[in-house]
Amino acid sequence: NKNNVTEFILLGLTQDKTIAKACFLLFLVLYAIIIFGNLLIIITIKTSERLDSPMYFFLSYLSFLDISYSTVTAPKLIYDLLVGKKTIPFVGCIAQLFMGHFFGCTEIFLLTVMAYDRCVAIHKPLHYTNVMNKHVCGCLVTASWVGGFVHSLVQALLTVQLPFCGPNEIDHYFCDVHPLLKLACTNTYVIGVLVVTNSGLISLTCFVVLAVSYVIIMVSLRTYSSKGRLRALSTCSSHVTVVILFFGPCIFIYMRPSTTFSADKMISVFYTIITPVLNPLIYTLRNEEVKNAIKMLWSRK
């Protein structure tokens, strides 16, 4: 396959310089909140003896993934908002695509694991510590990372072997599969089907597991007291909120035929920046144990 393209030009979020400057300040602040908020959760969980349950073990990894996932795109986006010509080398573009799908898919798997954890905790409370022991939790996290790696490797390999002869302008603020397929100078129908199948099967499978887990949870809650039911629902509602915020935009982008829409860039901002900002707020504001642990951490400091 002939490839004449050595770099791509990113068109970015906006061509308006005034809007770009405002977006620069906004996203700089949001990225700082992502780093600080998620690091605070990780440090709090690692230093608190009270937050030693599997739920918080998974939450610490979710925070790490939020930092990693947003770092793949946010720094480049922030920098490009101040420059005229936004370029990225071909190799850098494929690397960004790989890392974005790696961290994003790993987070999808981890959110599914967290739903399973809540399901076991509520449906089989007496067997919870035996079922979700440290070895099982470690294996589930490892499986999430491996699953994310395999998915992103397939996406990158399907894309990197395509010929790019020009033009080289990507109508996006980062490198992703659909915009790159649009630039390939060959018929990408089969590759597009494989890309959508890869993403679609993962999204659909995880969605089914999530749905089944919460059906079991809702059925199991009928045997709980009103106080126990409220406490369980409070914990689960935080997870459901995060799942909706992350899964919704991802399903819209990746579970459809290989095409691009003008709204894709704004929807991508939602799951690459807005959701990582909201996750720490959702899990701290709705969780008394985390809030108390943060207070204790600050009081020791």
Side-chain angles (χ1 to χ4, degrees):
N1 290 332
K2 190 177 180 181
N3 192 347
N4 297 326
V5 174
T6 58
E7 67 176 14
F8 291 102
I9 298 172
L10 299 170
L11 297 184
L13 278 179
T14 178
Q15 303 299 315
D16 189 301
K17 292 184 178 180
T18 304
I19 296 175
K21 289 178 181 179
C23 288
F24 168 81
L25 293 173
L26 173 63
F27 292 130
L28 184 64
V29 171
L30 291 178
Y31 183 59
I33 293 172
I34 290 170
I35 301 298
F36 176 78
N38 285 289
L39 274 180
L40 180 61
I41 286 183
I42 293 171
I43 294 169
T44 301
I45 291 172
K46 296 300 181 184
T47 57
S48 176
E49 295 179 356
R50 296 182 179 182
L51 304 179
D52 61 346
S53 70
M55 180 177 73
Y56 298 114
F57 173 75
F58 295 134
L59 179 57
S60 65
Y61 277 97
L62 180 67
S63 294
F64 175 76
L65 283 169
D66 278 336
I67 293 172
S68 303
Y69 188 45
S70 60
T71 300
V72 173
T73 57
K76 174 68 174 167
L77 166 63
I78 293 167
Y79 172 78
D80 283 348
L81 286 167
L82 294 183
V83 299
K85 191 177 181 182
K86 310 166 182 63
T87 61
I88 185 169
F90 179 85
V91 174
C93 185
I94 299 300
Q96 189 181 55
L97 183 153
F98 175 84
M99 297 306 294
H101 279 266
F102 176 43
F103 291 123
C105 187
T106 302
E107 183 159 340
I108 285 176
F109 284 134
L110 187 63
L111 287 170
T112 308
V113 167
M114 292 173 75
Y116 171 72
D117 170 67
R118 291 298 83 207
C119 179
V120 175
I122 293 171
H123 183 59
K124 298 284 187 181
L126 297 178
H127 302 283
Y128 177 63
T129 53
N130 291 326
V131 174
M132 299 299 292
N133 56 58
K134 289 186 177 180
H135 176 72
V136 170
C137 291
C139 288
L140 289 171
V141 169
T142 302
S144 297
W145 284 104
V146 172
F149 177 81
V150 172
H151 162 76
S152 59
L153 184 63
V154 171
Q155 299 291 75
L157 289 176
L158 288 173
T159 307
V160 76
Q161 54 86 35
L162 291 171
F164 295 95
C165 315
N168 64 338
E169 289 187 342
I170 299 176
D171 189 16
H172 215 304
Y173 64 89
F174 68 93
C175 290
D176 204 0
V177 178
H178 292 323
L180 284 173
L181 290 180
K182 192 176 179 180
L183 295 181
C185 51
T186 187
N187 190 324
T188 59
Y189 176 79
V190 175
I191 300 295
V193 170
L194 292 174
V195 164
V196 172
T197 302
N198 183 20
S199 301
L201 282 176
I202 290 172
S203 301
L204 184 61
T205 302
C206 290
F207 180 78
V208 169
V209 173
L210 284 162
V212 170
S213 296
Y214 277 100
V215 167
I216 294 172
I217 287 172
M218 297 308 295
V219 172
S220 300
L221 285 176
R222 293 187 301 177
T223 61
Y224 277 56
S225 64
S226 57
K227 186 178 180 180
R229 193 181 299 120
L230 286 173
R231 184 178 179 183
L233 285 173
S234 177
T235 304
C236 292
S237 63
S238 299
H239 183 258
V240 171
T241 304
V242 171
V243 166
I244 292 171
L245 289 174
F246 194 77
F247 263 73
C250 286
I251 288 173
F252 175 79
I253 295 291
Y254 298 109
M255 279 192 68
R256 70 178 195 222
S258 183
T259 184
T260 57
F261 297 123
S262 57
D264 286 355
K265 287 190 279 189
M266 293 311 301
I267 293 171
S268 297
V269 167
F270 199 85
Y271 66 81
T272 58
I273 295 179
I274 304 301
T275 302
V277 168
L278 294 177
N279 282 358
L281 296 175
I282 292 168
Y283 278 106
T284 54
L285 294 177
R286 299 182 65 86
N287 191 308
E288 289 297 327
E289 289 180 325
V290 176
K291 284 194 288 186
N292 291 334
I294 291 174
K295 290 175 183 177
M296 291 181 65
L297 177 66
W298 283 108
S299 64
R300 288 204 303 267
K301 296 294 182 182

